[in-house]
Amino acid sequence: MTNLWIAIPDSCLIESQTILDKSYKISQISRSCSIFCVKKIFIYHDNSTKAEKIDKKIMRTILEYLDTPPYLRKKIYPKMWILKHAGILPPIKSPHHKALIDIKNIKNEIRFGFVVKQNDSLYVDVGLQELIKYKGTQLGKKVLVKISYNGQLLAEDVAKEELDGYWGYDVKFADSLSALLENTNCEILMTSVEGRQFTKHVDNLMGNLKLSKNLLVVFGGPKFGLKKILEFENKKISQNHYFLNMFPNQGTQTVRLEEAILGTLSIVNNYLHT
Amino acid sequence: MTNLWIAIPDSCLIESQTILDKSYKISQISRSCSIFCVKKIFIYHDNSTKAEKIDKKIMRTILEYLDTPPYLRKKIYPKMWILKHAGILPPIKSPHHKALIDIKNIKNEIRFGFVVKQNDSLYVDVGLQELIKYKGTQLGKKVLVKISYNGQLLAEDVAKEELDGYWGYDVKFADSLSALLENTNCEILMTSVEGRQFTKHVDNLMGNLKLSKNLLVVFGGPKFGLKKILEFENKKISQNHYFLNMFPNQGTQTVRLEEAILGTLSIVNNYLHT
């Protein structure tokens, strides 16, 4: 199973004027990542374009909010203006967005929860009728826990990597595109309208993915493509990376970032699951 | 060159509550069709789901509005509530959305225009400084014209089919899904989460497309998939059609219609242009 990651620039939102517009755009990115089980979203600093600093925070907050199971959202996120429109965004319904079930029926289960303190003991709120005793240290954090029953219910930390299936995405920042590309252990697909034909190189890429477990798909910004963004870092597209055009013969002048993400992941997903 | 068509149900908008929501959804569909040079959009009546009648009109109006070159929009569309939010939707920038150029530089050119009457003669407004004499009969209509210079500029009707390149899409209604499928001369790709694996059948489909020039990609509704929609018409999925799942191993419970369109067309486009 390949781990799918994407990288997007922190200049993503420069064309969106209002927090509503920005929310919609991020919501589309979140849905695409959830549909195709993307495990990491890297937001890299785009030196070519002056974006508002707050946009990074907006991106991270809304992406993480939407990945959070609905039963935890109100507990983790206080009222904040960034999430003003989060309520009207389409639901994600990832597998880890679990429904309320009767606590009596729980024997072994994995759930996201939020760690709280009561009477000097730590508990985790996993969206059920009662809090569950927590054997861990992450007070005030969102945690992924394994709940087991041994006379009483007990929750302990578990890492996504140890589990099968899809458990949502993590959002990470990178200081520059080249730093990200150099320090990440994966096959790299750089998407660009200037790139070579995808279908001619995909077999090669898929062959390499049998050795490397991770695929990072990189997207350019609303203003400049990946070539230009790297130029601003005095770097070039590396021969080791796949610099490919995912949208041959495109009919519109541009493909928007949120469209490029959904389209590219749709294409790649079919190759990863043949 | 394959002609790409899509079919979507008239129940498309049932989950969108406001005209703003509906506008955004239609805008995404319009952009997808424009990116992938879709020539026809069929809106078929979905018997399985009770949609508001006005939604059909909303879909058609906004789709056609967005396909219309910006220079003609105000001339063709009066102020109407359906287009209340059309101004804030992302631009399409199709090749036929041409820029203002100096009329002196025009010798031979194809443009969309709007036919008006002045001093008993017909002229076409093609978004330039002056009206152009029109040799045709479609007063008050949006027309595609070939402009040529022979002492003076003269515009005459031309059909998209006679031209190379992409000239936008046409929107058509169909009374039912089965009527559409039976009466349309094309290869048919029915998209469904219940469908068979796309990658296993695509070579066969592409082979057939060498004979048939047209590919119709059909999408189900927000409530029911294509199988169910056909059941409501007492029909089944035909063995002659490709009933395929474009999103293997999807991470979310559902893929929304606007996402399915963009994703599916992204995939198909790469096969059509290899």
Side-chain angles (χ1 to χ4, degrees):
Chain A
M1 260 289 292
T2 303
N3 293 312
L4 193 53
W5 305 335
I6 70 164
I8 54 180
D10 61 5
S11 60
C12 267
L13 302 177
I14 49 158
E15 287 178 346
S16 307
Q17 303 300 321
T18 63
I19 183 69
L20 179 64
D21 270 4
K22 294 179 191 197
S23 303
Y24 270 123
K25 194 166 186 125
I26 299 168
S27 152
Q28 288 177 57
I29 296 172
S30 169
R31 278 208 44 95
S32 295
C33 290
S34 305
I35 293 172
F36 299 109
C37 305
V38 167
K39 291 188 178 167
K40 289 183 193 175
I41 302 175
F42 293 97
I43 300 172
Y44 65 84
H45 179 56
D46 171 5
N47 259 307
S48 73
T49 306
K50 217 176 151 55
E52 288 181 70
K53 262 206 170 149
I54 187 74
D55 281 356
K56 256 172 90 166
K57 191 178 174 192
I58 294 175
M59 286 167 73
R60 183 185 203 142
T61 305
I62 300 182
L63 282 174
E64 291 183 339
Y65 174 88
L66 289 172
D67 184 60
T68 301
Y71 63 77
L72 280 184
R73 289 180 183 170
K74 281 206 180 130
K75 286 156 193 162
I76 296 181
Y77 293 91
K79 273 215 166 177
M80 55 201 290
W81 68 271
I82 291 181
L83 295 172
K84 191 176 163 192
H85 299 291
I88 59 157
L89 301 175
I92 304 291
K93 293 186 191 157
S94 279
H96 64 286
H97 292 189
K98 296 193 172 183
L100 177 68
I101 52 170
D102 193 326
I103 200 162
K104 284 182 215 135
N105 295 330
I106 287 195
K107 289 278 174 278
N108 284 290
E109 170 136 349
I110 314 281
R111 273 187 172 247
F112 276 96
F114 184 68
V115 181
V116 295
K117 197 173 200 170
Q118 259 185 20
N119 308 325
D120 273 343
S121 296
L122 293 187
Y123 292 85
V124 59
D125 182 340
V126 291
L128 300 176
Q129 301 102 314
E130 293 165 31
L131 300 177
I132 290 175
K133 206 148 172 65
Y134 170 66
K135 199 176 138 189
T137 56
Q138 303 188 68
L139 177 60
K141 292 263 172 66
K142 176 179 160 191
V143 289
L144 183 59
V145 291
K146 190 183 207 161
I147 305 165
S148 49
Y149 183 82
N150 197 348
Q152 70 165 336
L153 289 174
L154 187 70
E156 44 188 340
D157 292 329
V158 63
K160 287 182 186 176
E161 294 71 30
E162 296 167 26
L163 301 173
D164 287 336
Y166 180 57
W167 294 92
Y169 52 74
D170 295 314
V171 181
K172 292 170 190 296
F173 290 129
D175 291 337
S176 71
L177 178 52
S178 47
L180 173 66
L181 299 180
E182 280 156 29
N183 300 321
T184 314
N185 180 21
C186 54
E187 288 299 316
I188 293 176
L189 166 53
M190 310 277 280
T191 63
S192 167
V193 66
E194 300 171 83
R196 284 184 268 177
Q197 201 176 321
F198 171 76
T199 46
K200 289 221 168 106
H201 298 269
V202 61
D203 289 343
N204 204 287
L205 171 59
M206 291 298 143
N208 286 356
L209 275 176
K210 281 175 190 147
L211 300 171
S212 168
K213 269 186 52 180
N214 309 318
L215 173 61
L216 174 64
V217 186
V218 188
F219 298 90
K223 221 159 181 179
F224 296 115
L226 291 174
K227 220 174 193 168
K228 201 90 187 171
I229 290 174
L230 280 179
E231 262 175 39
F232 270 82
E233 300 177 9
N234 297 314
K235 296 279 159 66
K236 282 184 179 169
I237 301 288
S238 158
Q239 295 293 338
N240 299 324
H241 302 157
Y242 292 84
F243 183 62
L244 303 178
N245 177 19
M246 310 305 290
F247 302 98
N249 295 63
Q250 72 185 52
T252 53
Q253 208 172 303
T254 52
V255 176
R256 295 161 69 84
L257 177 70
E258 64 274 27
E259 294 163 345
I261 295 173
L262 177 59
T264 300
L265 296 181
S266 300
I267 297 165
V268 169
N269 180 59
N270 263 295
Y271 285 91
L272 295 179
H273 294 106
T274 9
Chain B
M1 261 290 291
T2 303
N3 294 312
L4 193 52
W5 305 336
I6 70 164
I8 55 180
D10 60 6
S11 59
C12 268
L13 302 177
I14 49 157
E15 288 179 345
S16 309
Q17 303 301 321
T18 63
I19 184 68
L20 178 64
D21 270 2
K22 294 179 191 197
S23 303
Y24 270 123
K25 193 168 185 121
I26 300 168
S27 152
Q28 289 179 55
I29 297 173
S30 170
R31 280 210 38 99
S32 295
C33 290
S34 305
I35 292 171
F36 300 109
C37 304
V38 167
K39 291 188 177 168
K40 289 184 193 175
I41 302 175
F42 293 97
I43 300 171
Y44 65 86
H45 179 55
D46 171 5
N47 259 305
S48 73
T49 307
K50 218 177 149 56
E52 287 182 70
K53 262 205 170 149
I54 188 74
D55 280 357
K56 256 173 90 166
K57 193 180 173 188
I58 295 176
M59 285 166 73
R60 184 188 201 138
T61 306
I62 301 183
L63 281 173
E64 290 183 340
Y65 173 88
L66 290 172
D67 184 60
T68 300
Y71 62 78
L72 279 184
R73 289 179 181 171
K74 281 207 181 130
K75 286 156 192 161
I76 296 180
Y77 293 91
K79 273 214 168 177
M80 56 201 290
W81 68 270
I82 292 180
L83 295 173
K84 192 177 162 192
H85 299 290
I88 59 158
L89 301 175
I92 304 292
K93 293 188 191 155
S94 279
H96 64 284
H97 291 189
K98 296 192 173 185
L100 177 69
I101 51 171
D102 193 327
I103 200 161
K104 283 182 213 133
N105 296 331
I106 288 194
K107 289 280 174 274
N108 284 291
E109 170 134 349
I110 314 282
R111 272 186 173 249
F112 276 95
F114 184 68
V115 182
V116 295
K117 198 173 200 170
Q118 259 185 20
N119 309 325
D120 273 344
S121 295
L122 294 187
Y123 292 85
V124 60
D125 182 340
V126 291
L128 301 177
Q129 301 101 316
E130 292 166 32
L131 300 177
I132 290 175
K133 206 150 171 66
Y134 170 65
K135 200 176 138 191
T137 56
Q138 303 187 68
L139 178 60
K141 292 262 171 66
K142 176 180 159 190
V143 290
L144 183 60
V145 290
K146 188 183 208 162
I147 305 165
S148 50
Y149 183 82
N150 196 346
Q152 70 166 335
L153 288 173
L154 187 70
E156 43 188 341
D157 293 327
V158 63
K160 286 182 187 177
E161 293 72 29
E162 297 167 25
L163 301 174
D164 288 335
Y166 180 58
W167 293 92
Y169 52 75
D170 295 314
V171 181
K172 292 171 190 293
F173 289 130
D175 291 335
S176 71
L177 178 53
S178 48
L180 173 66
L181 299 180
E182 279 156 29
N183 300 321
T184 314
N185 180 19
C186 54
E187 288 298 317
I188 292 176
L189 166 54
M190 311 278 280
T191 62
S192 167
V193 66
E194 300 172 82
R196 283 185 269 177
Q197 201 176 321
F198 172 76
T199 45
K200 290 221 168 106
H201 298 271
V202 60
D203 288 344
N204 204 290
L205 170 59
M206 291 299 141
N208 286 355
L209 276 176
K210 281 177 189 146
L211 300 169
S212 166
K213 268 187 51 179
N214 308 318
L215 173 61
L216 174 64
V217 186
V218 187
F219 298 90
K223 223 161 180 174
F224 296 115
L226 291 173
K227 221 174 193 171
K228 201 89 186 172
I229 291 173
L230 280 178
E231 262 174 38
F232 270 82
E233 299 178 7
N234 297 313
K235 295 280 159 66
K236 283 185 178 167
I237 301 287
S238 159
Q239 295 292 338
N240 299 325
H241 303 156
Y242 292 84
F243 183 63
L244 304 178
N245 177 20
M246 309 305 290
F247 302 98
N249 296 61
Q250 72 186 51
T252 53
Q253 208 172 304
T254 51
V255 176
R256 295 162 68 85
L257 177 71
E258 64 274 26
E259 294 163 345
I261 294 173
L262 177 59
T264 300
L265 295 181
S266 300
I267 297 165
V268 168
N269 180 59
N270 264 296
Y271 286 93
L272 294 178
H273 295 106
T274 11

